[in-house]
Amino acid sequence: METSTSPINVANMLDKLGIKAINPGTSTGLEFHNSTELITSYSPVNGESIAQVSVTTPEQYEAVIQKADAAFKEWRNVPAPQRGELVRQFGDKLREYKEPLGQLVSYEMGKSYQEGLGEVQEMIDICDFAVGLSRQLYGLTMHSERPGHRMYEQYHPMGIVGIISAFNFPVAVWCWNTALAWVCGDSCVWKPSEKAPLCSIACQNIFNMVAKENNVPEGLSCLINGDYNVGELMTNDKRVPLISATGSIRMGKIVAQTVASRLGKSLLELGGNNAVILTQNADLQMVVPALVFGAVGTCGQRCTSTRRLIIHDSIYDKVKETLIAAYGQLRIGNPLDENNHVGPLTDVDAVNTYLKALEAVKAEGGKFLVEGGVLAGEGYEGGCYVKPAIAEVENHYSIVQHETFAPILYLMKYSDINEAIHMQNDVVQGLSSAIMTDSVREAELFLSAQGSDCGIANVNIGTSGAEIGGAFGGEKETGGGRESGSDAWKVYMRRQTNTINYSTSLPLAQGIKFDL
């Protein structure tokens, strides 16, 4: 399956990951399920069909949920440090398969090979974090108002965790959730994006190796494939107490309403419209590479991609010229070629969305400093390659207020730091933000309660590239969810308050008397 535009042997890569057959019988993690409806995975690198995956039917979904429920009831009784040992071994197995899995992420989704490897490294990092966490699922002890009583809080496994992931991080976001859920005692059912189904099968195959070696219950990690209809089977299912969904704001609102209607829990990671404030006190030589990577990394398809650059008017022209020059040096092409900076958009629909956004910018009065457009010809045959663009705009433009998953960077001016913060906050999304400055006062103002209203606020680093040690997520229409580090583990468990009476009497709380 090696192609003229790919520096890797695709068939060999798939074989290493246990994806041996290009046919309808693709594993869902439990067994080989066949159905008449198929998903074809196309590579945005060259437009070629990689493989076909069968869509999970309602009957197959029911079998998966029953297996996942049975696995949970067994797994919750395994001591948490032993659960952590399984995750440790999974992390080691990911180290072993890092190269082919990183290649598959790049080839099926379109991000650069280095970013593909980085995504697998995120999986390894969260496994390491979860191993330590397995010995720290702590509660609290409180003093009771009643003599001879003790109060404390503890956390118990919740049940089945349903994970709905997006195409742009086809493996890492799943692992953010599942590594924590496993050490918390939960089982997981994963509905990956239909745009990158092979990445999920590869992950499941890698986990199956570890599961077999440890004789863990079948159904601890399950995979269902298909479009939103398959996802709706989970969001409507009362047997799935938590749905962790990553995707668009539109999708998140549907998931939130559906899960809330059955009083379930949602962990939502939705859209971002991320801005960097560039002050007159910034070290431009240091920050420009971060600005460019934030805007064009993953071809602008990160939820944390830099979309708006708010520049102090005293340095605006200089920054503009610097960025134009930097964009002129970008190498766009096959993401598996490590000489290239930017790979393709993920599919034809993404290209069309990008083109519509370019037209909308012009229609609203924006001026392009670096023109966009589709790339064709030698080296781009069959792929979804576009030019990263830069436009001068106003923050209130409708297209600027929306998130476009494409490499379009919007430039705008400010004169006062409070004005800049207002512009940064004046969108419905609230995921990531950054300020570039050497001024302590500006930095601290940006991080204060009257500063950035985003879940992530950085100083002198870009908006993308979060580390797993901190909780990841955003406010407003980004959904309010938190994944990955810090105490994000608590969402995967149910909280319980316990009061123990070790006295010989039975006093009531609040001093109430009830004598018989």
Side-chain angles (χ1 to χ4, degrees):
M1 291 181 63
E2 188 171 5
T3 71
S4 59
T5 59
S6 175
I8 65 164
N9 185 306
V10 177
N12 183 55
M13 172 190 68
L14 295 177
D15 185 65
K16 287 180 180 178
L17 295 168
I19 304 173
K20 300 181 183 301
I22 304 177
N23 61 37
T26 302
S27 171
T28 63
L30 296 173
E31 57 191 33
F32 279 84
H33 288 326
N34 291 292
S35 66
T36 57
E37 188 177 355
L38 304 174
I39 299 170
T40 301
S41 177
Y42 295 96
S43 172
V45 174
N46 50 30
E48 291 190 2
S49 168
I50 311 173
Q52 288 183 313
V53 179
S54 62
V55 173
T56 303
T57 66
E59 294 76 20
Q60 292 164 352
Y61 169 81
E62 181 61 30
V64 165
I65 290 297
Q66 290 182 14
K67 289 288 181 97
D69 185 56
F72 162 68
K73 289 174 180 174
E74 182 178 342
W75 187 243
R76 65 184 175 182
N77 294 320
V78 175
Q82 292 185 28
R83 301 194 295 250
E85 170 59 18
L86 179 80
V87 174
R88 185 193 68 78
Q89 293 181 35
F90 181 55
D92 285 346
K93 193 68 73 174
L94 288 170
R95 287 177 171 91
E96 183 180 342
Y97 285 89
K98 180 177 178 179
E99 181 177 320
L101 185 55
Q103 289 175 339
L104 180 59
V105 168
S106 180
Y107 190 64
E108 187 177 35
M109 182 267 149
K111 65 176 59 175
S112 73
Y113 178 45
Q114 284 301 313
E115 290 182 87
L117 291 175
E119 184 168 347
V120 181
Q121 186 61 49
E122 283 192 47
M123 301 174 75
I124 295 167
D125 292 344
I126 196 65
C127 285
D128 289 349
F129 179 88
V131 173
L133 178 65
S134 68
R135 293 181 181 271
Q136 300 180 69
L137 300 175
Y138 52 81
L140 294 172
T141 300
M142 289 79 68
H143 289 279
S144 173
E145 67 184 56
R146 291 170 284 187
H149 286 61
R150 180 169 69 89
M151 293 179 63
Y152 70 94
E153 291 180 343
Q154 62 179 332
Y155 289 83
H156 290 304
M158 178 177 289
I160 301 172
V161 174
I163 303 166
I164 300 173
S165 64
F167 74 88
N168 59 332
F169 279 84
V171 296
V173 171
W174 166 71
C175 205
W176 284 2
N177 284 273
T178 203
L180 298 189
W182 285 333
V183 299
C184 288
D186 302 322
S187 60
C188 297
V189 179
W190 181 18
K191 207 296 285 183
S193 169
E194 61 271 29
K195 296 182 179 183
L198 297 181
C199 286
S200 62
I201 293 169
C203 290
Q204 185 66 55
N205 288 346
I206 294 169
F207 175 78
N208 286 348
M209 299 177 200
V210 179
K212 185 176 181 180
E213 292 167 359
N214 288 269
N215 195 32
V216 299
E218 184 184 24
L220 186 60
S221 177
C222 300
L223 184 61
I224 55 176
N225 269 303
D227 61 13
Y228 70 93
N229 292 293
V230 176
E232 284 180 349
L233 295 174
M234 272 203 310
T235 57
N236 283 293
D237 196 334
K238 291 183 177 180
R239 295 169 294 181
V240 184
L242 172 65
I243 297 291
S244 176
T246 304
S248 68
I249 291 173
R250 181 191 62 81
M251 179 275 286
K253 288 181 177 180
I254 295 171
V255 169
Q257 292 173 22
T258 302
V259 176
S261 70
R262 60 177 176 84
L263 298 181
K265 289 185 176 181
S266 296
L267 193 171
L268 301 175
E269 297 288 359
L270 310 177
N273 196 346
N274 316 295
V276 173
I277 297 173
L278 194 55
T279 83
Q280 71 273 34
N281 298 304
D283 181 342
L284 296 183
Q285 187 174 359
M286 181 187 78
V287 304
V288 167
L291 297 175
V292 176
F293 176 76
V296 308
T298 320
C299 203
Q301 295 170 115
R302 291 183 176 221
C303 52
T304 55
S305 290
T306 303
R307 312 216 175 273
R308 297 176 296 139
L309 184 53
I310 304 168
I311 309 168
H312 192 270
D313 53 18
S314 67
I315 59 171
Y316 183 84
D317 290 337
K318 181 178 180 180
V319 172
K320 181 170 66 173
E321 292 170 4
T322 302
L323 287 173
I324 292 171
Y327 270 53
Q329 300 176 49
L330 291 175
R331 293 186 295 273
I332 307 165
N334 191 321
L336 290 160
D337 182 344
E338 295 186 60
N339 291 313
N340 291 325
H341 298 110
V342 184
L345 289 172
T346 198
D347 59 13
V348 173
D349 287 342
V351 173
N352 290 333
T353 299
Y354 159 82
L355 292 174
K356 290 178 181 177
L358 297 181
E359 291 302 317
V361 171
K362 294 176 182 177
E364 292 196 67
K367 175 187 175 184
F368 279 98
L369 304 174
V370 176
E371 293 283 346
V374 175
L375 291 167
E378 184 177 355
Y380 304 117
E381 297 92 339
C384 298
Y385 299 94
V386 301
K387 300 176 185 177
I390 301 177
E392 291 182 305
V393 299
E394 297 292 335
N395 198 52
H396 62 80
Y397 288 2
S398 177
I399 189 61
V400 176
Q401 290 285 310
H402 288 82
E403 177 189 42
T404 301
F405 244 41
I408 306 174
L409 179 62
Y410 300 122
L411 269 55
M412 55 198 80
K413 298 179 183 179
Y414 81 94
S415 57
D416 175 76
I417 186 61
N418 292 294
E419 175 193 6
I421 292 173
H422 174 76
M423 292 168 66
Q424 134 72 35
N425 293 341
D426 194 23
V427 292
V428 298
Q429 307 87 352
L431 180 52
S432 188
S433 60
I435 188 169
M436 303 296 189
T437 180
D438 285 344
S439 165
V440 173
R441 288 178 176 173
E442 289 177 333
E444 290 296 332
L445 177 63
F446 181 73
L447 300 177
S448 72
Q450 58 184 311
S452 170
D453 63 2
C454 293
I456 299 169
N458 298 326
V459 177
N460 290 332
I461 63 171
T463 58
S464 62
E467 298 180 31
I468 61 93
F472 178 89
E475 299 300 320
K476 301 189 293 187
E477 292 193 9
T478 298
R482 291 297 185 275
E483 293 174 316
S484 192
S486 186
D487 65 349
W489 61 270
K490 292 180 179 179
V491 76
Y492 304 97
M493 306 194 81
R494 59 182 179 87
R495 185 171 182 168
Q496 186 179 79
T497 300
N498 308 113
T499 305
I500 300 170
N501 179 4
Y502 59 90
S503 72
T504 57
S505 60
L506 188 61
L508 300 178
Q510 294 85 47
I512 294 174
K513 303 294 183 182
F514 186 76
D515 298 322
L516 292 176

